[in-house]
Amino acid sequence: MSALFEATLRLSVVLLPAVIASLLLKSRSAALRHWVLAVAVLCAWTIPFLSNVLPELPAPARATWGGREAPHQDLSQTRWRVIEPRQDGQVFAEFSLAAVSAAADASPRATPIVRGVWLTGSLLSGLILLVGLGRLRWLASRAREIDRGHWFEIGHELRDTYRISCPVRLLQSTHPALLVTWGWRRPKIMLPAAAQEWTTDRIRIVLAHELAHIARGDWAAQLAAEALRSVLWFNPLLWMTCRRLRIESELACDDEVLARGVEGHEYATHLLALARSLNPGRRSWVAAPAMARPSSLEGRVHAMLNTVTNRRSVSTPARVLTTATLLALTILAAGLFAQTLFYSFTGTAFDQTNRLLPGTTVTLTNTSSKAKYEVQTDATGKFEFVGLPPAQYKLETSRAGFGALSEEIRISGNTKRDLRLKVGSLQETLTITDGSVDGYVSVRPDPPVAIRRAQAQLKFAEFAAQAKARCAAGAPGPVGGNILPPAKLLDVKPVYPEHLRLAKIGGVVQMEAVIGSDGTVLDVPVVTGPHPELESAAVDAVRQWLFSPTLLNCEPIPVNMKVSVMFASAQ
């Protein structure tokens, strides 16, 4: 759930200043306030994309005292309060990221519950939005298109005054209370059933208001905000943003109507008459703005009758300044601000038999800043890194007798991961020179291989009995890492082919063998070799080797072995 916490934190960096600015700009025009909110919503949608494409910035240095990190402020405890004035009093929207942070750090039992609640809310919110869009499509398919007459002529005239280049469809439905506008590339205005009986003045006012929505792109901005709220529905800041967007868009469109010569009292009279005739009791929710919404009616009428209200459109300098400011905040939220978050990486180290591995060194290296973090697992095999900035890390482990684990890991939230280490591989190196091995003549009169193998098998049985007796003295507990390495019981030397020795053909044969749990060599693949016959001679010898069992926590296990045979001809 840390991803939700991070998304909420980043989004709040952009939306919170925009909401506060819209509340402080009461003396400015509604068009400017709506522009600020709309740009903030669009910037919020770009944060996930920018987070992936922006270069990762180095994390700020953490202070230390006596070799330990100094305490730092937990940003999740910061609280914000936004006060929204309304006709019935002030609405306080106070929220803290601590609740989301707690969800991110919740216990394993609580985390699925929190995730399920969030997913259920998101699916329900998204479903409501899709149902609203589907209902608009369904109503449009059953509505009658108006392509001539008074409505069409006035609409065509006003569309030219708004400089709307795309075609606008006028639709009349049989619904008695539906007056909405939606669409972007092919916008539509849906009129109620009684619209044909309206006067010319009312037709002009209604179309001027609805075409203002189209010219300003209000539907797209509102839909983007609603979609964002459906994902992060638990954030009260998004609910406030959606509400403010809807109110400011209606006020801005009212200002556009008044700017075309309509008197405020005349407009208010028509608006109140529409609110009564559109029968609020039969209205249903659709994903589009409605002109006579009762919840915002009082504030709109008050603004219409206020002769000192600022009704100017948004100037180009104001648009540029607003966009630049919010874009800077967006980049800050997507890049630098993410670096102020610190996460933990925890887990447990196990061996091949799923037993705990205490005393294992675990190292994380930041691939960007090269900062290195190192801990050791405790008596129960657990390890914990704290204060990790989000970044790409190289994970490495080290423990005597075990192979090193090395891989890349991305830390972008509180991460829990268990590590499983395998027993390290053996290393055998032989040098053969002119028929001798490490100074000893390989053609010395050794007993036949069959006799030596029988002797080795007796030694194997003796080793196995001794190991069984030691393990019987105390049953293995939960702590592992107890390795009994193998001992070579039968050693067969490679033979240097005579014709290759005389031809001074030599080189190194590299092999990777597997010693089975019964001590026999199971497989001997050749990695590199200078000559097929030299490779065959080395493989034939290694296949005959016999080892005592390799025990891990009193359990026989297979183990890898690297073998290097050097055939060196005399110069």
Side-chain angles (χ1 to χ4, degrees):
M1 299 304 293
S2 59
L4 285 179
F5 166 62
E6 184 175 332
T8 302
L9 192 58
R10 289 177 171 180
L11 181 139
S12 299
V13 172
V14 178
L15 289 186
L16 183 61
V19 172
I20 294 176
S22 69
L23 297 175
L24 294 177
L25 294 173
K26 294 177 60 176
S27 60
R28 305 300 295 271
S29 66
L32 177 60
R33 296 192 295 269
H34 184 271
W35 173 260
V36 171
L37 293 171
V39 173
V41 169
L42 295 180
C43 286
W45 272 111
T46 65
I47 289 177
F49 171 75
L50 292 177
S51 300
N52 293 326
V53 300
L54 286 177
E56 187 173 284
L57 301 176
R62 297 281 297 277
T64 60
W65 182 264
R68 301 181 63 182
E69 287 187 349
H72 67 285
Q73 181 183 4
D74 186 358
L75 295 176
S76 65
Q77 301 302 320
T78 304
R79 303 184 68 85
W80 288 281
R81 170 177 286 193
V82 179
I83 305 174
E84 180 183 4
R86 295 173 60 174
Q87 283 76 19
D88 54 351
Q90 291 181 332
V91 175
F92 294 85
E94 184 179 87
F95 62 98
S96 167
L97 296 175
V100 186
S101 179
D105 298 328
S107 64
R109 181 178 300 177
T111 299
I113 299 176
V114 175
R115 186 181 294 113
V117 171
W118 165 75
L119 186 59
T120 301
S122 296
L123 291 177
L124 183 60
S125 301
L127 180 62
I128 293 174
L129 187 61
L130 291 176
V131 168
L133 293 172
R135 179 170 172 78
L136 283 175
R137 188 180 182 88
W138 180 80
L139 290 171
S141 65
R142 285 159 175 76
R144 180 179 67 87
E145 184 168 0
I146 302 175
D147 54 3
R148 63 178 61 87
H150 214 39
W151 277 94
F152 182 80
E153 294 172 358
I154 296 176
H156 187 75
E157 174 192 342
L158 290 174
R159 193 189 71 174
D160 292 340
T161 63
Y162 280 112
R163 298 180 181 179
I164 299 175
S165 58
C166 60
V168 179
R169 295 181 61 193
L170 290 177
L171 304 175
Q172 185 175 19
S173 71
T174 57
H175 198 287
L178 203 59
L179 175 56
V180 293
T181 298
W182 78 97
W184 177 35
R185 298 178 61 182
R186 301 185 62 185
K188 304 173 184 64
I189 300 175
M190 182 164 290
L191 306 170
Q196 292 291 352
E197 302 174 2
W198 291 351
T199 64
T200 301
D201 290 341
R202 182 168 298 180
I203 293 174
R204 185 171 294 275
I205 287 175
V206 168
L207 287 180
H209 182 94
E210 300 303 323
L211 287 170
H213 278 304
I214 296 174
R216 290 166 35 81
D218 290 343
W219 182 78
Q222 191 69 41
L223 186 64
E226 298 287 348
L228 190 61
R229 186 181 65 178
S230 68
V231 178
L232 300 175
W233 54 268
F234 54 84
N235 190 343
L237 195 59
L238 278 171
W239 289 82
M240 181 178 290
T241 301
C242 290
R243 182 178 181 276
R244 296 302 309 173
L245 261 179
R246 189 180 301 111
I247 292 174
E248 300 299 350
S249 69
E250 295 298 329
L251 290 173
C253 291
D254 290 341
D255 291 342
E256 291 286 348
V257 176
L258 295 173
R260 278 160 175 74
V262 179
E263 295 293 334
H265 63 86
E266 180 186 358
Y267 189 8
T269 301
H270 283 289
L271 185 62
L272 292 174
L274 284 172
R276 287 192 297 267
S277 64
L278 292 182
N279 189 8
R282 297 188 60 184
R283 293 177 64 237
S284 57
W285 187 87
V286 290
M291 179 177 177
R293 183 183 294 269
S295 60
S296 60
L297 198 59
E298 182 180 351
R300 291 173 60 190
V301 171
H302 183 270
M304 291 174 193
L305 300 178
N306 189 348
T307 57
V308 298
T309 299
N310 188 335
R311 307 188 192 281
R312 298 176 184 174
S313 59
V314 185
S315 63
T316 300
R319 291 177 185 270
V320 173
L321 179 61
T322 302
T323 304
T325 302
L326 290 172
L327 187 59
L329 288 174
T330 304
I331 295 175
L332 179 68
L336 177 62
F337 191 76
Q339 302 302 319
T340 63
L341 299 176
F342 296 93
Y343 300 114
S344 64
F345 176 49
T346 59
T348 306
F350 297 93
D351 61 18
Q352 290 173 244
T353 61
N354 290 326
R355 289 185 172 87
L356 306 174
L357 279 181
T360 302
T361 301
V362 185
T363 305
L364 286 178
T365 304
N366 190 314
T367 57
S368 298
S369 65
K370 305 305 179 184
K372 190 174 183 180
Y373 308 83
E374 184 177 291
V375 297
Q376 275 200 341
T377 56
D378 60 15
T380 61
K382 297 184 182 299
F383 64 89
E384 180 180 18
F385 292 89
V386 296
L388 295 175
Q392 190 78 13
Y393 289 86
K394 184 178 182 181
L395 170 66
E396 296 175 295
T397 63
S398 174
R399 193 180 195 278
F402 286 84
L405 180 66
S406 179
E407 59 184 69
E408 297 281 332
I409 183 173
R410 176 74 185 179
I411 301 295
S412 57
N414 292 330
T415 306
K416 183 177 181 180
R417 181 176 175 182
D418 294 335
L419 307 177
R420 280 177 169 76
L421 278 63
K422 294 183 178 180
V423 173
S425 60
L426 303 177
Q427 181 72 44
E428 288 278 344
T429 302
L430 302 175
T431 301
I432 302 178
T433 305
D434 291 341
S436 65
V437 181
D438 297 333
Y440 296 95
V441 180
S442 63
V443 294
R444 65 187 184 277
D446 288 339
V449 173
I451 297 176
R452 294 165 57 199
R453 176 168 291 276
Q455 295 172 347
Q457 289 174 344
L458 292 176
K459 292 181 180 179
F460 181 90
E462 182 180 350
F463 270 95
Q466 293 174 356
K468 185 177 181 180
R470 283 195 298 268
C471 292
V479 177
N482 303 308
I483 302 175
L484 179 62
K488 185 184 287 187
L489 305 179
L490 176 60
D491 186 14
V492 177
K493 310 300 183 183
V495 177
Y496 202 147
E498 183 68 15
H499 64 286
L500 296 180
R501 182 182 64 81
L502 295 176
K504 300 186 182 301
I505 297 176
V508 179
V509 180
Q510 299 282 356
M511 296 164 284
E512 291 185 353
V514 177
I515 303 174
S517 56
D518 60 353
T520 59
V521 179
L522 301 179
D523 193 16
V524 191
V526 176
V527 179
T528 59
H531 192 278
E533 291 189 43
L534 294 178
E535 297 170 11
S536 178
V539 169
D540 289 343
V542 173
R543 284 186 184 277
Q544 300 180 67
W545 292 355
L546 184 65
F547 294 83
S548 64
T550 304
L551 299 181
L552 176 61
N553 307 320
C554 295
E555 296 181 17
I557 61 169
V559 64
N560 295 327
M561 176 178 60
K562 296 180 180 180
V563 183
S564 177
V565 179
M566 174 67 180
F567 291 92
S569 60
Q571 300 297 325

